[in-house]
Amino acid sequence: LDETGRVIESNAQANLVPGTEATRTALVVRYLSPEGWGRETMPFTEIDNGVEQKFIGSYEATGLGWGVFVQARLQDVYAPVRRMVDSITTWALFVLALAAVAAVVFARTLSNPIKRLADASRKFASGDFSTRVSVRSGNEIGELAFTFNKMAGEIEDQIRRLKEAAEEN
């Protein structure tokens, strides 16, 4: 715009052809005011055919006596941010669900061998000395199952020898 608020050049699709007066928006009014020279970015509202539209605009006054303006609807400016927030929310929920599934799988990986070991211990305590635990794991639970099986085998062997000795007597 020139110093009077007339369009010098525009790439807008509206009726802003060179020579058109564009003094109706709050952004241009601010630019034309005595304190408006320089640069500024501000939100403003326009009423177009009875519909209120919110905009954000920016201008900079040049040394040649005219101003360069940029303005856009507020909803259009923040649309990429809304899409980004929606995308982040979707991915966060996906990762949270994946973490929950991984936690359940990990918990079962840990609890199932312990449950089998506890069941075998109960059977062994009730007199079934042939009970063994089938746990294939290289961690402490696997070592505990291996030790349980070794202990059960030695106890079963001791009981067998005691029975043999009792029969001999």
Side-chain angles (χ1 to χ4, degrees), residues 106-120 133-137 139 141-142 144-145:
F106 179 72
R108 285 196 178 153
T109 301
L110 193 60
S111 66
N112 285 345
I114 292 173
K115 185 179 180 307
R116 286 196 302 267
L117 189 57
D119 290 344
V133 181
S134 173
V135 174
R136 293 182 183 102
S137 176
N139 61 16
I141 296 171
L144 185 59

Side-chain angles (χ1 to χ4, degrees), residues 47-67:
I47 297 179
D48 189 22
N49 294 331
V51 177
E52 187 176 276
Q53 297 271 346
K54 294 183 184 248
F55 287 86
I56 188 163
S58 186
Y59 68 84
E60 181 169 348
T62 69
L64 301 172
W66 44 274

Side-chain angles (χ1 to χ4, degrees), residues 25-46:
T25 70
L27 187 65
V28 175
V29 169
R30 176 73 178 156
Y31 164 73
L32 294 174
S33 70
E35 60 275 349
W37 280 87
R39 72 173 70 165
E40 189 167 352
T41 299
M42 61 182 269
F44 61 95
T45 303
E46 281 189 24

Side-chain angles (χ1 to χ4, degrees), residues 51-122:
V51 177
E52 187 176 276
Q53 297 271 346
K54 294 183 184 248
F55 287 86
I56 188 163
S58 186
Y59 68 84
E60 181 169 348
T62 69
L64 301 172
W66 44 274
V68 176
F69 288 75
V70 176
Q71 70 182 40
R73 279 191 206 95
L74 208 53
Q75 67 187 31
D76 296 339
V77 171
Y78 290 113
V81 174
R82 279 193 301 279
R83 283 192 304 272
M84 183 175 63
V85 167
D86 291 346
S87 175
I88 288 171
T89 302
T90 301
W91 278 105
L93 290 174
F94 173 74
V95 168
L96 184 63
L98 190 62
V101 168
V104 167
V105 168
F106 179 72
R108 285 196 178 153
T109 301
L110 193 60
S111 66
N112 285 345
I114 292 173
K115 185 179 180 307
R116 286 196 302 267
L117 189 57
D119 290 344
S121 296
R122 281 197 263 325

